[in-house]
Amino acid sequence: MNHGGHDWKPEQARKSLKRLLPELEAEFSTRLEPVAFDWHRFKNRLHREWERLFSYLHELYGWQYDFHYTLERILRSLIESWLERPEDLRRLDERREAEPEWFQSQEMVGIVLYVDLFSDQLAKLKDNIPYFKKLGLTYLHLMPLFVSPHGENDGGYAVSDYRSINPDLGTMQELEEVAAVLRDEGISLVLDFVFNHTSDEHQWALRAKSGDPDYMGFYFTFPDRELPDQFQRYLRDIFPEVRAGSFTWNEQLQRWVWTTFNSYQWDLNYANAEVFRAMAEEMLFLANRGVEVLRLDAVAFLWKRLGTDCENQPEAHTTIRAFNALARIAAPAMLFKSEAIVHPNEVIRYVHPDECQLSYNPLLMSLLWEALATQDVRLLDHSMRTRYRLAAGCAWVNYLRCHDDIGWTFDDDDARSIGIDPASHRRFLNQFYTGEFPGSYARGKKFQENALTGDVRVSGTLSSLAGLEEALERDDSELIERAVRRITLLMGIQVSIGGLPLLYAGDEYGMINDYTYLHDPRKVNDSRWVHRCRKRWEAKEDLADLDTIEWRFFRETAKLFNLRKQLPALYNGGMEVVETGNPHLFAFLRAHAEQRLLVVTNFSETDQQLHPRFVVPWVPGGEALDHLTGTRITVADGLMLEHHRAVWLEV
Ligand code: GLC
Ligand code: GLC
């Protein structure tokens, strides 16, 4: 609303804070006195962020008659959670505020793992810190570890209680201890905020099932098919092999419930201000346990609007921004990472200092696999040229594999612009990575084939997709060598292209697919379990045979990760794709702090030449140091790159 060109919101924002704050200060006075100095800082942040918080909340809930009450409850929660914030985390807040770009450093390197699969229990995770240190890790994402249903629970993504740890893994106190130990070691703890849905066993869902109208309002429930049918026309099925449609009939309620993912994952209704407030409290609770990066799960689905596909709605962004403002005020050390595995135009909209400072980079991930299969870098080159840049103060999280499937999320017009038919290309990629394509080395599994649309995605570990499983089975050293090179090629790009590289635990030692899920009734319908392996390998020098394939990978991974840390040019920031004149060679330039690196990579199964015309101009002296091998290279005659090899030239 705009009254004669005058924006009334800032003024109203100030007014409501002026009304609310003194009352709350009086109410909390005895608890505020001992922390007067910190409280002063808190208030500065509150004043700094309040206008935008007010305006987001107004956009979402301003039309509701009790908006002032909403504001008051949220502000109260904010103060309470800040008061409970442990002293060492408040000091961390200070440090991070003084150094807001900490996560952009080339020193940042991450890993993601399941506690049960990796160390059985939380308490035992600490014993693995030396292992993390060898890899140079500074960022540790623990997959969902909260209480969740005993049977199927979508790998923990159906949360029954955001404040308790699954007893099989440990306790909340142990989590806090782990966080503190990691912090001392310079490793940031990352957890999921599964905030699009709860499990159907969450207290809120149980109360809703018992007919409590307040809690029924936490979810979307419908007495008949009228509205569900209207919505359904535009929705896509996320797990089409498991069931069709986004609604589940609940016997107890005698109503349909909105369940975008599995039938036991109930979507939360963010149009209800109480849901926002309740989830804000859960978020701030997690922040106070020592979480430094919160992975916002399934952000795209947060807001529903009839007549749309209910993905990436503007209010989804507003909701996240409102959470962001709360975090900036009460737990400024904590950042958000967005998990939006959608069209690249949409992915990028979640990435902003006021929204998610970090984001998965699904486009780079899928196009690296695409280029590996086709041995042709044109789509990768084109897409990275036009789509890599992010707002200042943000960074990509670059990954090759994660716990989920691979979907081919490139833009159709990008593909067409270089003469690729998107639909048949996706079909080819699926066939290639599931090993159906003649001559393919990949051992992926189909994930969630949609009988209606023909869509399908791919599961499988990095190594199995890159040919190692097949090569080992055939016991063929030449094939093993090829697979190893393919993997190191991808990893080398992941650590150098700009952003935070995130390793999927197990990939550092060449973990191959685990087919035991086929015998587990709780997993058999979800092929993602093929790459969520229970197998463990430990880098124990004293016991191990240092010539094993595991050691070979481990050394390569540790080398790449540690080399990255020594090169200031790899600080997050500018990345320029560089022309190579050869469709098999992908090259880019990184520059920072007086250092420039030219990275050239060969995606072909054969050796390739970079013509002098494309390299000489970068290397005025005619000779440059290749950081990957530590040798100096002459470029006057161009560059010969063996298959799947790369150079990192200092230019
Ligand atoms: C995210 C998770 C995925 C899960 C889904 C539902 O996409 O990565 O594993 O199935 O959300 O929570
Ligand atoms: C879809 C969703 C993504 C989720 C995935 C689970 O791709 O967009 O959020 O992680 O399904 O497989």
Side-chain angles (χ1 to χ4, degrees):
M1 218 183 299
N2 196 326
H3 297 296
H6 175 68
D7 186 0
W8 58 272
K9 266 194 197 159
E11 199 181 311
Q12 277 309 321
R14 277 192 296 275
K15 261 194 196 160
S16 41
L17 191 58
K18 240 184 176 162
R19 284 186 197 139
L20 289 169
L21 193 55
E23 282 173 27
L24 289 166
E25 264 185 304
E27 186 184 321
F28 286 106
S29 62
T30 47
R31 292 173 70 191
L32 291 175
E33 258 159 44
V35 289
F37 187 65
D38 275 353
W39 173 243
H40 177 71
R41 297 190 153 172
F42 173 93
K43 278 205 295 188
N44 281 345
R45 296 197 297 263
L46 180 63
H47 287 295
R48 194 181 70 209
E49 304 288 338
W50 180 257
E51 263 178 37
R52 72 180 182 107
L53 177 60
F54 176 93
S55 113
Y56 303 143
L57 293 173
H58 186 270
E59 207 176 305
L60 299 172
Y61 311 115
W63 58 275
Q64 295 170 357
Y65 81 93
D66 57 353
F67 180 57
H68 189 73
Y69 171 71
T70 297
L71 283 181
E72 185 191 326
R73 289 202 69 184
I74 290 172
L75 185 54
R76 182 189 305 272
S77 300
L78 203 55
I79 296 176
E80 274 179 345
S81 97
W82 177 78
L83 277 168
E84 280 156 21
R85 188 151 173 87
E87 172 66 21
D88 53 343
L89 293 178
R90 285 197 206 150
R91 298 287 79 85
L92 183 69
D93 289 339
E94 251 174 71
R95 291 206 301 280
R96 298 297 200 219
E97 284 216 295
E99 203 197 340
E101 293 203 350
W102 64 277
F103 62 98
Q104 316 254 12
S105 164
Q106 71 277 13
E107 307 252 344
M108 293 299 292
V109 172
I111 191 168
V112 50
L113 57 87
Y114 287 90
V115 172
D116 56 338
L117 302 180
F118 185 82
S119 62
D120 295 321
Q121 291 188 318
L122 262 177
K124 288 199 227 150
L125 197 64
K126 285 179 274 186
D127 304 341
N128 290 283
I129 287 180
Y131 185 78
F132 298 151
K133 287 277 185 187
K134 271 186 220 161
L135 285 165
L137 304 175
T138 58
Y139 170 116
L140 172 63
H141 175 192
L142 304 181
M143 293 296 290
L145 30 68
F146 303 101
V147 169
S148 60
H150 264 302
E152 279 186 60
N153 56 35
D154 194 18
Y157 281 97
V159 177
S160 303
D161 182 355
Y162 297 93
R163 300 190 183 218
S164 339
I165 301 295
N166 171 352
D168 295 339
L169 301 177
T171 64
M172 195 49 91
Q173 197 191 335
E174 281 168 352
L175 178 69
E176 286 179 77
E177 281 163 21
V178 166
V181 174
L182 292 172
R183 204 153 54 242
D184 283 346
E185 297 283 351
I187 302 175
S188 299
L189 175 66
V190 185
L191 289 188
D192 282 87
F193 189 42
V194 187
F195 71 138
N196 174 68
H197 42 264
T198 71
S199 89
D200 62 348
E201 293 181 10
H202 191 286
Q203 269 303 320
W204 304 334
L206 296 180
R207 289 194 200 172
K209 281 189 216 172
S210 74
D212 182 332
D214 285 346
Y215 287 94
M216 282 170 71
F218 269 47
Y219 303 95
F220 300 92
T221 74
F222 308 89
D224 52 43
R225 286 296 310 187
E226 195 186 326
L227 274 170
D229 284 342
Q230 288 179 34
F231 275 112
Q232 191 66 60
R233 285 173 45 207
Y234 304 93
L235 303 178
R236 74 175 158 126
D237 284 352
I238 305 297
F239 299 137
E241 281 178 17
V242 181
R243 72 206 175 91
S246 295
F247 300 87
T248 303
W249 176 251
N250 185 273
E251 276 298 325
Q252 198 178 338
L253 262 180
Q254 289 290 303
R255 291 172 81 90
W256 291 93
V257 183
W258 197 312
T259 56
T260 297
F261 291 87
N262 290 289
S263 55
Y264 50 83
Q265 288 164 302
W266 288 21
D267 287 49
L268 284 163
N269 176 9
Y270 280 91
N272 178 351
E274 275 300 283
V275 168
F276 179 89
R277 195 228 4 114
M279 286 305 283
E281 286 175 6
E282 304 310 74
M283 174 187 80
L284 294 169
F285 174 85
L286 292 177
N288 284 351
R289 308 283 78 72
V291 177
E292 294 185 36
V293 177
L294 206 54
R295 172 193 181 277
L296 303 192
D297 181 63
V299 290
F301 303 91
L302 219 55
W303 196 274
K304 328 291 185 199
R305 172 171 284 114
L306 198 59
T308 73
D309 63 359
C310 298
E311 293 187 38
N312 311 304
Q313 295 300 306
E315 291 87 349
H317 294 278
T318 309
T319 306
I320 299 169
R321 285 181 179 231
F323 281 133
N324 172 301
L326 296 179
R328 304 265 59 74
I329 298 166
M334 188 174 74
L335 303 176
F336 289 170
K337 175 172 85 159
S338 115
E339 189 249 351
I341 314 301
V342 288
H343 189 278
N345 290 346
E346 298 295 343
V347 171
I348 210 145
R349 295 206 172 106
Y350 294 90
V351 200
H352 189 278
D354 290 342
E355 198 162 332
C356 297
Q357 300 88 345
L358 290 159
S359 166
Y360 278 103
N361 191 352
L363 186 63
L364 176 67
M365 183 277 291
S366 60
L367 290 180
L368 287 175
W369 288 108
E370 187 268 345
L372 197 69
T374 56
Q375 305 178 46
D376 183 323
V377 304
R378 285 173 308 153
L379 187 53
L380 174 67
D381 186 290
H382 176 78
S383 307
M384 291 305 120
R385 208 176 275 276
T386 49
R387 298 180 179 276
Y388 204 77
R389 193 174 296 267
L390 289 177
C394 296
W396 288 118
V397 171
N398 293 323
Y399 64 114
L400 302 172
R401 289 302 293 115
C402 70
H403 67 291
D404 280 333
D405 45 287
I406 300 178
W408 309 107
T409 59
F410 56 81
D411 174 63
D412 287 3
D413 286 332
D414 284 358
R416 285 189 199 104
S417 76
I418 51 172
I420 293 175
D421 171 54
S424 57
H425 201 53
R426 288 196 177 90
R427 232 172 1 255
F428 159 74
L429 292 167
N430 284 322
Q431 285 174 352
F432 188 88
Y433 281 110
T434 53
E436 283 174 9
F437 194 80
S440 160
Y441 46 72
R443 285 284 173 87
K445 295 288 257 178
K446 282 188 186 164
F447 179 67
Q448 300 297 335
E449 186 158 22
N450 189 322
L452 292 176
T453 61
D455 282 348
V456 68
R457 283 116 77 195
V458 175
S459 298
T461 67
L462 173 64
S463 289
S464 290
L465 294 176
L468 186 66
E469 185 178 332
E470 191 211 30
L472 290 173
E473 222 168 79
R474 292 222 217 150
D475 195 18
D476 180 326
S477 55
E478 145 79 20
L479 292 184
I480 293 177
E481 173 67 21
R482 280 190 180 268
V484 171
R485 284 206 195 181
R486 286 184 202 113
I487 294 164
T488 15
L489 173 80
L490 299 189
M491 279 189 172
I493 296 174
Q494 180 194 16
V495 301
S496 61
I497 195 165
L500 193 159
L502 179 62
L503 179 78
Y504 184 61
D507 289 344
E508 77 282 14
Y509 65 84
M511 170 178 82
I512 57 174
N513 286 350
D514 176 358
Y515 298 98
T516 55
Y517 81 99
L518 291 169
H519 310 293
D520 183 338
R522 300 186 323 169
K523 299 180 175 170
V524 63
N525 288 326
D526 189 335
S527 71
R528 290 175 297 175
W529 287 101
V530 83
H531 54 255
R532 300 172 180 175
C533 314
R534 182 167 280 289
K535 284 172 272 170
R536 268 288 289 142
W537 173 84
E538 285 172 64
K540 285 196 182 134
E541 271 106 347
D542 44 342
L543 299 178
D545 170 359
L546 296 182
D547 284 334
T548 59
I549 193 90
E550 285 86 354
W551 268 108
R552 183 161 175 201
F553 273 106
F554 186 81
R555 280 193 298 264
E556 285 285 352
T557 311
K559 179 188 134 189
L560 282 171
F561 282 15
N562 288 304
L563 183 59
R564 163 184 160 90
K565 292 170 182 256
Q566 292 156 27
L567 300 173
L570 299 184
Y571 188 93
N572 180 51
M575 186 283 287
E576 297 291 339
V577 175
V578 166
E579 232 178 296
T580 65
N582 180 332
H584 307 290
L585 300 181
F586 176 56
F588 51 88
L589 192 71
R590 301 296 322 280
H592 182 78
E594 312 279 303
Q595 190 183 48
R596 292 207 309 176
L597 281 190
L598 176 67
V599 173
V600 188
T601 62
N602 178 6
F603 274 81
S604 167
E605 297 280 332
T606 59
D607 302 353
Q608 293 293 324
Q609 214 224 357
L610 180 64
H611 192 278
R613 195 166 75 239
F614 296 100
V615 60
V616 170
W618 296 109
V619 189
E623 206 191 65
L625 173 66
D626 170 23
H627 281 281
L628 279 180
T629 53
T631 55
R632 297 194 71 81
I633 294 186
T634 332
V635 300
D637 300 327
L639 269 179
M640 247 339 254
L641 267 120
E642 284 182 25
H643 71 90
H644 303 118
R645 282 291 192 218
V647 287
W648 292 7
L649 296 182
E650 177 142 7
V651 296

